[in-house]
Amino acid sequence: ELENQLTAKSKTLDELKQSLASNGSAEQTPEAQSLRIAELCEMKDSIVNQIAQLKASMESILEQWRAYGEIYAEVSLMTTRYLYCIDQCKPSGEEASLEALKKQVKTLQ
């Protein structure tokens, strides 16, 4: 979406440059030139405002990614700890067998 917006802005700037080049070579009345200048200034202001909005949007997105990165690192660490605990707590094959448990019960009795 942001790339599309930037591409659109780039095309608008190219159109303005072409328009300015073609208008600069043609003879115009001072009134027409001042109207064109006002129009170009209005377009420039609009582009500046859109760029400011885009910057604010990008800053928000970057902040969200930073938060995601921190949370992901925390969850990854907790998952690693959990898996380690599970691995350390599970009994070996012999201890888990029913026969071994029966032996332990007899021994304890």
Side-chain angles (χ1 to χ4, degrees):
E1 180 185 334
L2 295 175
E3 286 182 31
N4 292 338
Q5 289 179 358
L6 288 175
T7 303
K9 301 306 173 223
S10 178
K11 286 180 183 177
T12 303
L13 285 174
D14 290 340
E15 289 171 5
L16 285 173
K17 287 177 185 176
Q18 289 176 355
S19 175
L20 184 60
S22 66
N23 287 338
S25 63
E27 287 294 320
Q28 291 184 353
T29 64
E31 293 84 15
Q33 287 178 347
S34 64
L35 286 175
R36 183 68 182 149
I37 289 171
E39 182 183 314
L40 290 173
C41 287
E42 190 177 308
M43 292 172 84
K44 182 190 118 264
D45 291 341
S46 173
I47 290 172
V48 167
N49 288 336
Q50 290 174 356
I51 289 172
Q53 291 173 352
L54 185 60
K55 281 182 179 180
S57 175
M58 288 299 296
E59 287 173 5
S60 171
I61 290 169
L62 288 173
E63 183 59 36
Q64 290 173 358
W65 273 109
R66 275 192 284 276
Y68 169 81
E70 292 171 5
I71 292 169
Y72 179 83
E74 187 177 335
V75 168
S76 179
L77 179 63
M78 289 172 27
T79 302
T80 302
R81 288 179 179 166
Y82 170 77
L83 292 174
Y84 176 79
C85 288
I86 293 295
D87 187 53
Q88 295 300 312
C89 293
K90 75 178 174 185
S92 64
E94 183 180 307
E95 293 172 349
S97 71
L98 184 58
E99 295 296 323
L101 290 174
K102 286 181 181 178
K103 275 186 180 180
Q104 287 179 351
V105 169
K106 285 183 183 177
T107 304
L108 291 172
Q109 289 175 347

